[in-house]
Amino acid sequence: MDPEITLTALRDFCADRLGPQVATRFVGLARPGFELTEAEPGQAAGRSRFGGRALLEPGTPWPTCDGFPLSLLAVLDTDVLAPWLGELLPAGTGLLNFFVLDGDSEQSDPAACEVALAHQSTDPRVGRVIAARAAHAVETRAPARSSVFEPVPWAASPGFSLPDAFDPAWDSLARSPGAEHLDSYDIRTALSDWPEQPGALHADDTAFGRPVFPTGSYPTVPAGEDPNRYHHLLQLSDHHEWSIGGEGGWMHWSIPTDALRAGDFGRAIPTPDHW
């Protein structure tokens, strides 16, 4: 698949249902991303996977929250994904390791729950994203009390995603000329056959693109900050060995877009969706 060809096909698809003017503005909200599914042998997206050991550069400290070790949930091999993402990532970003304070899974240490109770689920300290140059990264054994999940290699299918129904990105579209009387419901009704469009992302587990919030919410970012200035990194549904806790939920990580372009993953934050 070619990103420009796919985006043009997406625009044509939407223009047939929304008209060319609204379609152009609507497709302007599309972001490139990937559907993540369990890979068949030989089909994995580089070293991308759920679970397993962290892939860190030697000397990188294991992340902690109040001294308690976080647990690795996933790795994305961005060197494989980068061609579809254009200039979104700095060259050579390598591997992204996604950590979280595991106070809920069957493997979690009882003390982790006590630490988690002292923090909001969106506190940057309970989730961390650490980049590692692929040529230098080595499998790193988790410290004691950190959960280790069975590795599941991921295949990554490229496409484009658009905001879900309650994403603040819709506000900018509603203010566009010719779209003043359209809202997310109107557009999604007109695009009811959206999953049939080649290149449309509609998976439960995704990398980059835009997040889906089944509860009808949207990314929670620090007070006073504009969620439209953040970019989605990873979405994990509740179909995994790990659990977000409570009745369930999906895990997300987001990052300010300027930090993403600069490769400053220390500014990534957890943006979970509980129910």
Side-chain angles (χ1 to χ4, degrees):
M1 296 174 68
D2 178 271
E4 288 303 319
I5 293 175
T6 303
L7 199 58
T8 297
L10 176 60
R11 189 178 295 109
D12 291 344
F13 172 86
C14 293
D16 288 343
R17 294 153 178 79
L18 301 172
Q21 186 179 32
V22 173
T24 297
R25 293 187 173 90
F26 176 60
V27 173
L29 300 177
R31 289 180 174 176
F34 301 86
E35 296 183 357
L36 301 174
T37 55
E38 184 172 351
E40 298 293 334
Q43 299 299 312
R47 300 160 83 178
S48 301
R49 55 174 163 75
F50 170 81
R53 292 184 178 182
L55 296 171
L56 302 173
E57 295 187 31
T60 302
W62 192 274
T64 62
C65 177
D66 292 352
F68 195 92
L70 304 185
S71 300
L72 179 86
L73 283 190
V75 175
L76 289 180
D77 189 337
T78 69
D79 290 344
V80 174
L81 306 180
W84 185 258
L85 299 174
E87 299 179 355
L88 187 62
L89 291 170
T93 294
L95 306 165
L96 297 181
N97 294 265
F98 292 81
F99 294 90
V100 74
L101 178 63
D102 176 28
D104 298 296
S105 79
E106 294 182 359
Q107 297 189 41
S108 65
D109 187 290
C113 183
E114 296 300 317
V115 176
L117 289 174
H119 298 277
Q120 295 288 332
S121 60
T122 54
D123 189 319
R125 289 170 290 184
V126 305
R128 208 75 51 82
V129 179
I130 299 179
R133 292 169 296 177
H136 300 267
V138 295
E139 287 199 353
T140 304
R141 185 185 298 273
R145 302 195 297 171
S146 178
S147 302
V148 179
F149 302 103
E150 194 68 25
V152 179
W154 271 330
S157 302
F160 287 89
S161 59
L162 284 141
D164 80 350
F166 296 93
D167 196 299
W170 288 105
D171 296 339
S172 63
L173 180 68
R175 293 192 296 268
S176 300
E180 296 90 343
H181 303 295
L182 286 177
D183 59 21
S184 62
Y185 177 79
D186 295 321
I187 290 177
R188 289 188 173 274
T189 298
L191 301 177
S192 58
D193 54 347
W194 171 259
E196 298 175 12
Q197 166 61 32
L201 298 183
H202 48 87
D204 291 344
D205 299 325
T206 58
F208 300 98
R210 289 186 178 274
V212 174
F213 283 76
T215 60
S217 184
Y218 56 86
T220 302
V221 299
E225 296 197 28
D226 181 359
N228 290 309
R229 296 185 179 274
Y230 275 70
H231 206 94
H232 185 242
L233 290 175
L234 180 67
Q235 170 178 301
L236 290 180
S237 67
D238 57 350
H239 306 306
H240 299 281
E241 183 183 0
W242 164 83
S243 170
I244 201 170
E247 294 184 9
W250 287 12
M251 187 64 194
H252 303 265
W253 282 266
S254 299
I255 187 172
T257 303
D258 64 333
L260 177 59
R261 294 185 184 280
D264 183 5
F265 292 96
R267 293 174 61 191
I269 59 173
T271 52
D273 187 30
H274 291 86
W275 55 73

